[in-house]
Every structure is written in C-alpha cells, then in structure tokens.
Amino acid sequence: MDVTTDSGAPWLIAGLGNPGPEYAGNRHNVGFMVADLLAERMGGRFKRHGKAQAQVVEGRVGPPGPGSRRVVLVKPMSYMNLSGGPVTALRDFYKVPAERVVAVHDELDIDFGVLRLKLGGGDNGHNGLKSMTKAMGPDYHRVRCGIGRPPGRMQVADFVLKDFSSVERKELDWFVDRAADAVECLVSEGLERAQSAYNS
C-alpha cells in the first residue's frame, strides 16, 4: 500500500497486554507501555469504547498537515489470550483494512531491547497473536519487542508475567520510546522504511 495516499481509513494500533495494576510492569505488557506512550505523545487519554471490551484513543501521528495519519490506539481489556475479539470489533467499527492493523507485543525469541517489524506470519506461541490471527487472519503488521528467553528452567508463563528485571528497567524507557518511534514510522512512512530504520 502506498502510504503517501490516505484512503481515509485510520490505522488501528493494538498494544497487547493484560489489564489491571498487578500486570502493569510485566514483560507481557510492553505493548500496553508503548500504547500509553503513543497516547501521551498524541495528547490523548484512553477511554472505554462502547462497542468493544477495550480502551481507545483517537488521534494523529506524523508531521502536521497532509503527511499525518489518523490512528486509533487500542488496549484490549479482555486479557491477552482473548485480544482478538476486541481488536476485531474495533477493526470492523472503524472499517480498517487488515494491512492497517498493527499489533505491538512482547517477543521471546528476540533479545531484550531489540525490535523487529513485519507483516503477517505465525504467532510463535504468543497467545495475543494467536487470538488475533484466529479472529482476523494473519495479514496484519507486528511490532515485535524483544524480551529474551527465560533463564534456567523458568517456565515461559512465569517469565512473561514477571516484571522486567532491575537491569532491564534501566533500559526500558529507551526501549519503549524506540518502539513508539517505530510504530509512528511504520504508519507515516511504510513498512520498508520502518524496518530499515528500526530492525536490529
């Protein structure tokens, strides 16, 4: 899709995570952290949406004028493994084509602090992606935020539901900031440009 022409449909940016303060600092919630930062940059506040179990912010990203893009930021309030329902309901409500849907999520198979962007693909065992793909098919963008593998014999479920370590937290603000930059670049300039700038 040529991002220099805007069809009028917004981009739907879904930060994946689990609702509730007990999950707020978890590795699994890095998608929520990125969505919160994007909302802050847009000067918006998340509000519950009447048509879906989710909180949303509507706004624009990119340079002012014709280069800016309409976006709807989404935080599903359904828990991670049911993310597909709210995201699909909002995709239908805002009439968003699949190629303008973006999932921002944690990724075990990438080292902490590393970003990778792609279009389509499998779910790699990620329950949020699994739910989204089941609901709408695999042809949406992903901004994959590396969290690394669990140490030793720690179970994956325990690892992703733990907060970032004290060492990781020193880099976390930078990482979330960079991920938010990558989302803005994807929406404003397209996947290839965003991959060349942010894939590491």
Side-chain angles (χ1 to χ4, degrees):
M1 170 176 284
D2 180 5
V3 294
T4 59
T5 58
D6 200 332
S7 68
W11 284 72
L12 192 71
I13 314 295
L16 302 185
N18 286 308
E22 68 271 34
Y23 298 106
N26 289 180
R27 293 182 176 92
H28 223 16
N29 270 42
V30 71
F32 272 18
M33 297 173 195
V34 176
D36 285 337
L37 179 57
L38 286 166
E40 189 181 310
R41 289 181 181 185
M42 285 169 19
R45 298 187 62 157
F46 278 99
K47 297 190 175 88
R48 189 165 285 278
H49 196 276
K51 299 292 183 184
Q53 193 179 355
Q55 292 183 351
V56 302
V57 176
E58 296 181 44
R60 301 188 83 88
V61 300
S68 73
R69 299 277 174 259
R70 283 179 61 217
V71 299
V72 180
L73 296 174
V74 180
K75 293 198 300 186
M77 293 287 113
S78 56
Y79 290 98
M80 182 68 88
N81 61 341
L82 299 172
S83 301
V87 175
T88 304
L90 291 167
R91 180 203 64 176
D92 294 346
F93 179 80
Y94 289 102
K95 299 180 171 57
V96 178
E99 67 270 15
R100 288 195 178 204
V101 176
V102 183
V104 185
H105 63 92
D106 57 303
E107 178 63 66
L108 285 160
D109 285 340
I110 302 174
D111 290 342
F112 172 75
V114 174
L115 289 173
R116 299 269 167 77
L117 287 81
K118 69 174 187 173
L119 174 62
D123 57 56
N124 209 19
H126 191 286
N127 287 331
L129 297 184
K130 196 176 294 183
S131 178
M132 282 184 61
T133 296
K134 185 177 178 183
M136 68 173 73
D139 299 326
Y140 53 90
H141 287 90
R142 297 101 189 278
V143 175
R144 306 157 72 206
C145 304
I147 60 168
R149 303 291 305 184
R153 297 185 177 182
M154 185 186 290
Q155 294 295 311
V156 165
D158 294 334
F159 179 69
V160 299
L161 293 175
K162 278 193 164 39
D163 286 3
F164 286 98
S165 70
S166 57
V167 173
E168 289 168 338
R169 280 199 294 273
K170 291 175 184 171
E171 302 288 333
L172 186 59
D173 285 349
W174 170 85
F175 185 31
V176 169
D177 194 65
R178 185 170 162 77
D181 289 348
V183 172
E184 291 182 344
C185 184
L186 170 62
V187 169
S188 299
E189 301 181 52
L191 179 61
E192 284 186 24
R193 175 76 186 88
Q195 285 175 325
S196 66
Y198 294 97
N199 278 14
S200 42

